[in-house]
Amino acid sequence: MKILFRDITTLNENGISAEHQYVAVTDTKITYIGSECPEGDFDRVISGKDKLLMPALYNCHAHTAMTLFRGYGEDLPLQKWLNDRIFPAEDRLTSEAVYNASMLAIAEMLRNGIVSFSDMYFFSEDTIRAVTETGMKANIGRCITCFNPDETKESDVRLKEALSLYKQYHNTADGRIKMDMSVHAEYTTLPHAIKYVADCAKDLGLHMHVHMSETEEEHLACIERHGKTPAQHFADLGVFDVPTIAAHCVWVSDEDAVLMHEKGVFAAHNPISNLKLGSGIMPLEKLSRNGVSVVLGTDGVASNNRLDILREMNAAALLQKGTDRVCDSMKAADIIPMATVNGARAQGRCDSGCLAVGCRADLIMIDMDTVHNIPCYEPVTALIYSTVSSDVCMTMADGKILYENGCYTTLDLEAVKTAMRHTVAHYFD
């Protein structure tokens, strides 16, 4: 399939824009970008009038099937929310519920320009099935916890499941599915278990995905238990010996930031979720100043309500200005890599996340002819401060259009919504 975007404004992963561009896609790759119309025949030519073309977005921390719990357990702090509402509800999860909830989440993400997500949850096989069917991309981590001091690598059924998923699904669906190893958090996983999970990730060449320093209580309790911060604890147990996404990082210390840079840890900023749960605000400027690669995540919709990376981009930019009281400490162009190329690298997708010839054609097109986008003096600032997710009019993964102008090409939205309503109606009987 050969597609040409004609006379369109482009915005690359570094926030640099260009008007009146031509972008060609052949099969899965971007094959041309320039100001002259390329020669050759195309299966489809798409007009770029009043449109913006940019790399698709990455959601680097999600609990995808938690769409089932959207609006369930509102206005509660993290530990009360988890222990009183979420953990009891998760005890009732079923394969069907996770599949239906994952399909709804994927529909929402595609609608909002998200082409890939990093998932940490349960019933992973059902989320994998949803991703495979819909043409999306995902890094899937079967979440591992351990409270049993006698648990071993050989006896841990959660680890066995994670390893089985790795053998069956890693790099399947033309590479769209990647398996990660995932430890839930320091406070839910005993040290010896963290170490054997990290050792498995290192042996298999897999990435890690963890929660880290989400709340002050968590951060200080770890210091009391182990005499070190969660970041130092994970590092000592070998977690950071492989590429790792550390979600939240709200309470990381200056020393943690230096350590994370040295170890190449990706800090997943989840501003909306952290605000809603009253957990605090990630020190974005401190992490960036220390060279830590920051990515963006939504967390689960039970603590966010939406799977919307454009909203996270806006929140990340505004929160930094407000907390620093410096309007240019984090500029609009600084946010773009967090949602695109950094996210792709965090997932081990080194040929993605960029608007460049030879890269995967993971692209979104945004309608700039809306009342809140006019006038548009600078596309990069318009994207961060004006654009909303409903302006996304096309989402493409590996050169295949998955969403366009309200229509999906790989899923039946009405059937997905009906299945989810049926699941919810019976789940809480």
Side-chain angles (χ1 to χ4, degrees), residues 60-61 208-210 212 240 243-250 252 256-257 260-261 263-271 274 282-284 286-288 291-297 337-339 342-343 346:
C60 284
H61 181 61
M208 287 285 292
H209 189 177
V210 300
M212 191 176 83
F240 296 163
T244 299
I245 292 177
H248 302 296
C249 301
V250 173
V252 291
D256 289 341
M260 292 168 70
H261 169 62
K263 291 291 189 177
V265 176
F266 295 89
H269 191 12
N270 299 258
N274 292 151
M282 173 196 273
L284 178 56
K286 175 170 72 178
L287 289 168
S288 298
V292 177
S293 183
V294 178
V295 297
L296 294 175
M338 300 177 193
N342 289 5

Side-chain angles (χ1 to χ4, degrees), residues 173-184:
D174 297 320
R176 290 187 289 108
I177 300 290
K178 293 184 181 296
M179 301 306 302
D180 292 344
M181 298 302 289
S182 174
V183 167
H184 178 264

Side-chain angles (χ1 to χ4, degrees), residues 144-146 148 150-157 159 181 183 189-203 237:
I144 293 174
T145 60
C146 177
N148 180 3
D150 297 322
E151 194 77 85
T152 67
K153 177 180 176 180
E154 291 71 29
S155 66
D156 192 329
V157 295
L159 180 62
M181 298 302 289
V183 167
T189 318
L190 291 173
H192 76 287
I194 294 174
K195 187 175 189 318
Y196 64 62
V197 174
D199 288 345
C200 283
K202 188 173 183 179
D203 291 343
L237 293 170

Side-chain angles (χ1 to χ4, degrees), residues 3-10 18-25 30-38 42 45-46 48 53 355 357:
I3 298 173
L4 178 67
F5 294 91
R6 176 176 58 82
D7 194 20
I8 197 165
T9 298
T10 59
E19 296 182 344
H20 307 298
Q21 296 292 290
Y22 292 82
V23 178
V25 171
I30 300 170
T31 52
Y32 176 83
I33 302 173
S35 57
E36 301 293 330
C37 184
F42 292 89
V45 177
I46 299 170
L53 189 72
L355 186 63
V357 171

